[in-house]
Each structure stands twice: as structure tokens, then as C-alpha cells.
């Protein structure tokens, strides 16, 4: 008996292999396209994240500055409220506006300006 030659592969297998080889560039092009879209999306997401971080940091800083200003205003108002019931504080405020006491004499200098200025620094109330 002579050894028989192995059966030749069917032509269909060759055609299927050739089709797979032909599809490879299309598959690689689709994979490259999807990778490119992923890179674009990732770039957009990173840019958006950076923009939001900068914006939030700026807004947080502005809010903290505003809070400090409001806290300062609250302290000034609390001091004014405490002073409104203190006769010594009210006397100081009246003297700053140019008022004199009941038993005091007003002395005016000869070279004094016609419109009197403030005697004290004005305190701004919010």
C-alpha cells in the first residue's frame, strides 16, 4: 500500500482566508478611527476639567473675599449696636459732628474756615 496523499484543502478555505486578509485593512481603519475618536473625546474631557477647575477656583476665591467683607461688616454693625447704648460713645460721635456740651463755650478761631470739616474719621456703616 502506498501512502495516500493528504486531501487537498478545499478552495473555500482559501477564499475565506483571502477574505479575512482583505478585511484586515478595513478592520484596522475602523480601529484607528475609533481610537482617534477616543483621543478627541479624552482631549475634550481633559480640557473641560481644566476649565472647570480654573473657574471653580476663581469663584471660590471671590466668594471667600465676599465672605470676609460681610464678616467685617457684621463686626462693624455689632460694634455700632453696642455703642448705641453707651453714653460715652454717643458723646464721642456728637463731638465728631461738631456738637458741644450744654455747659461748654464755643470758641471759634479767627482764621477758621467757613465750612467746618469733620473732627474725626468717619466710620462707614454697611
Amino acid at each position: 500500500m502506498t501512502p495516500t496523499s493528504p486531501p487537498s484543502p478545499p478552495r473555500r478555505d482559501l477564499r475565506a482566508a483571502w477574505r479575512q486578509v482583505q478585511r484586515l485593512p478595513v478592520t484596522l481603519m475602523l480601529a484607528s478611527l475609533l481610537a482617534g475618536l477616543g483621543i478627541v473625546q479624552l482631549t475634550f474631557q481633559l480640557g473641560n476639567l481644566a476649565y472647570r477647575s480654573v473657574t471653580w477656583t476663581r469663584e471660590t476665591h471671590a466668594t471667600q473675599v465676599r465672605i470676609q467683607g460681610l464678616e467685617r461688616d457684621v463686626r462693624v454693625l455689632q460694634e455700632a449696636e453696642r455703642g448705641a447704648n453707651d453714653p460715652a460713645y454717643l458723646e464721642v460721635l456728637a463731638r465728631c459732628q461738631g456738637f458741644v456740651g450744654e455747659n461748654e463755650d464755643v470758641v471759634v478761631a479767627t482764621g477758621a474756615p467757613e465750612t467746618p470739616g469733620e473732627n474725626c474719621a468717619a466710620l462707614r456703616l454697611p
Side-chain angles (χ1 to χ4, degrees):
M1 286 189 107
T2 62
T4 60
S5 63
S8 64
R11 288 186 133 214
R12 189 171 243 186
D13 288 338
L14 283 177
R15 285 184 184 171
W18 180 246
R19 284 184 188 151
Q20 286 179 349
V21 170
Q22 284 180 334
R23 289 183 195 165
L24 186 61
V26 173
T27 306
L28 289 177
M29 286 186 343
L30 287 175
S32 298
L33 178 66
L34 290 175
L37 289 174
I39 290 171
V40 168
Q41 182 182 10
L42 179 64
T43 303
F44 174 77
Q45 293 294 335
L46 290 175
N48 191 22
L49 176 67
Y51 172 75
R52 285 187 305 173
S53 296
V54 168
T55 303
W56 288 348
T57 302
R58 190 176 352 158
E59 289 176 358
T60 301
H61 179 66
T63 303
Q64 288 173 346
V65 168
R66 181 171 162 85
I67 287 171
Q68 290 172 355
L70 292 173
E71 287 173 346
R72 183 180 57 248
D73 290 347
V74 166
R75 279 193 307 273
V76 168
L77 288 172
Q78 286 173 345
E79 290 172 6
E81 183 182 21
R82 278 192 301 268
N85 296 326
D86 184 16
Y89 179 76
L90 293 175
E91 183 181 348
V92 170
L93 286 179
R95 290 199 181 274
C96 284
Q97 293 179 2
F99 291 96
V100 292
E102 197 175 317
N103 299 326
E104 296 177 343
D105 294 328
V106 178
V107 178
V108 179
T110 55
E114 234 174 84
T115 57
E118 288 287 328
N119 295 333
C120 303
L123 179 64
R124 180 189 78 81
L125 292 178

